[in-house]
């Protein structure tokens, strides 16, 4: 364990996870670094965990008539997680409700983030536990940024979905809110050719048909993502930036005009007292 982080390894692969935000900072397979290291010029983060909301809120959230200043992607990425279990190739980190979180989100919760590495595969699992005496609405998500171009790539890059998706995505309105309008994207036969000009704003596939997708270079390496209980998929970068985020969400940003009541917020999950929820992603690297 290095200061402020934990490391796991298997075969020729290793991963380093920061305790702040349980954020994946490095994933190396056979000497190839796959995770964007963060750079203030484009985006300072690497792979934040999103909780208890995903996306932008319209002036926070309202709970039982009171407004709370809960902002973009919630607060988990700014909180320190504590190691609960660790072995050579697996670590389980936990965040519990505290005074800071209650000021933004008045619920008692435990958020566990589990990382497990097996050779060329890395699994990330989010476990959410409702410790309140009332129903707890929440959303969670993964926001990993991968280096683009992929290590060893010599040609252009493409993203392929496992199932046919609509060749249009919601327009993102000012403030990160979801518009009723949609815009066409050049998705053909499940394949999207990746170019910097695609990413004026995020591409959000709500209620996606695919439970998996592949980010690959033509004739070269492939990074595959397999999802469990993540119904929404988003792709994000910045024009000219050398990274691509493959995001997995259970919820999404507020629609335009939304009032902010957390119980009415679209795509939130409702956990009964004592109930648990699990969502997972498996990342597989093929050189």
């Amino acid at each position: 364990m290095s200061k402020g982080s934990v490391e796991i390894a298997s075969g020729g692969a290793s991963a380093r996870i920061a305790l702040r935000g349980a954020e994946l900072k490095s994933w190396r397979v056979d000497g190839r670094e796959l995770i964007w290291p963060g750079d203030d010029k484009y985006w300072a983060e690497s792979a934040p965990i999103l909780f208890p909301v995903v996306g932008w809120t319209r002036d926070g959230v309202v709970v039982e008539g009171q407004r709370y200043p809960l902002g973009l992607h919630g607060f988990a990425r700014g909180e320190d997680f504590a190691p609960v279990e660790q072995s050579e190739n697996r670590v389980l980190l936990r965040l519990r409700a505290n005074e800071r979180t209650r000021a933004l989100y008045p619920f008692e919760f435990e958020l566990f983030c589990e990382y497990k590495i097996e050779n060329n595969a890395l699994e990330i699992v989010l476990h959410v536990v409702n410790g309140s005496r009332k129903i707890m609405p929440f959303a969670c998500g993964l926001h990993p940024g991968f280096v683009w171009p992929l290590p060893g790539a010599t040609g252009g890059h493409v993203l392929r979905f496992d199932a046919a998706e609509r060749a249009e995505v919601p327009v993102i309105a000012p403030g990160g809110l979801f518009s009723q309008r949609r815009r066409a994207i050049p998705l053909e036969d499940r394949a999207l050719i990746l170019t910097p000009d695609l990413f004026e704003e995020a591409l959000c596939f709500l209620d996606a048909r695919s439970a998996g997708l592949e980010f690959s270079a033509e004739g070269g390496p492939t990074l595959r993502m397999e999802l469990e209980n993540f119904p929404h998929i988003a792709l994000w970068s910045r024009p000219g930036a050398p990274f691509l985020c493959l995001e997995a969400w259970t919820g999404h940003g507020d629609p335009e005009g939304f009032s902010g009541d957390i119980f009415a917020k679209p795509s939130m999950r409702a956990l009964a007292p004592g109930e648990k929820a699990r969502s997972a992603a498996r990342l597989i690297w093929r050189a």
Side-chain angles (χ1 to χ4, degrees):
M1 180 187 299
S2 60
K3 185 177 180 181
S5 66
V6 293
E7 297 182 9
I8 54 176
S10 172
S14 64
R16 180 171 57 86
I17 302 102
L19 298 181
R20 173 61 55 88
E23 184 176 12
L24 180 65
K25 288 295 188 179
S26 173
W27 176 32
R28 299 179 65 87
V29 182
D30 296 329
R32 298 178 176 91
E33 179 60 68
L34 304 177
I35 297 298
W36 164 249
D39 185 333
D40 288 339
K41 180 179 178 181
Y42 296 110
W43 181 50
E45 297 176 274
S46 296
I49 301 298
L50 317 180
F51 178 86
V53 294
V54 171
W56 289 93
T57 61
R58 187 171 177 264
D59 301 323
V61 296
V62 175
V63 182
E64 298 175 341
Q66 182 174 343
R67 189 171 292 275
Y68 294 82
L70 186 60
L72 172 66
H73 295 321
F75 49 67
R77 59 185 175 172
E79 291 289 322
D80 288 333
F81 284 63
V84 176
E85 299 173 5
Q86 185 173 4
S87 64
E88 183 179 359
N89 73 326
R90 174 184 173 272
V91 65
L92 181 67
L93 305 173
R94 178 177 61 198
L95 172 65
R96 284 176 164 162
N98 56 53
E99 289 185 9
R100 291 181 303 278
T101 69
R102 294 184 193 106
L104 301 172
Y105 176 72
F107 297 93
E108 299 301 312
F109 68 87
E110 287 184 302
L111 171 62
F112 294 89
C113 189
E114 179 181 5
Y115 290 89
K116 184 177 181 180
I117 194 168
E118 292 181 331
N119 298 318
N120 66 326
L122 178 65
E123 184 177 44
I124 309 171
V125 185
L126 298 181
H127 307 267
V128 180
V129 182
N130 181 8
S132 301
R133 296 181 179 179
K134 56 187 177 182
I135 293 173
M136 185 180 83
F138 80 95
C140 63
L142 304 176
H143 195 312
F146 301 98
V147 293
W148 177 22
L150 290 169
T154 57
H157 289 64
V158 62
L159 189 132
R160 289 186 175 86
F161 291 95
D162 284 4
E165 302 293 346
R166 294 178 65 180
E168 58 180 19
V169 293
V171 171
I172 306 300
L177 304 179
F178 277 66
S179 167
Q180 295 277 344
R181 295 171 292 130
R182 303 183 73 86
R183 65 184 179 98
I185 57 172
L187 177 65
E188 296 183 8
D189 192 26
R190 300 186 291 111
L192 181 66
I193 304 297
L194 297 173
T195 58
D197 59 2
L198 276 175
F199 299 104
E200 294 291 332
E201 57 187 42
L203 308 185
C204 303
F205 299 84
L206 303 184
D207 298 311
R209 297 171 182 168
S210 301
L213 63 158
E214 294 186 351
F215 170 36
S216 60
E218 294 294 346
T222 295
L223 178 64
R224 178 168 175 78
M225 174 183 271
E226 298 174 347
L227 303 176
E228 174 190 338
N229 293 331
F230 280 120
H232 313 307
I233 297 170
L235 313 177
W236 179 73
S237 186
R238 291 208 160 111
F243 71 85
L244 175 66
C245 289
L246 306 182
E247 304 182 40
W249 303 343
T250 68
H252 58 76
D254 287 355
E256 286 184 294
F258 181 65
S259 69
D261 190 297
I262 197 169
F263 289 94
K265 181 174 165 63
S267 199
M268 296 291 279
R269 293 185 174 178
L271 282 186
E275 191 176 4
K276 303 176 183 179
R278 180 184 190 275
S279 298
R282 183 174 172 83
L283 307 173
I284 305 163
W285 169 253
R286 300 189 182 100

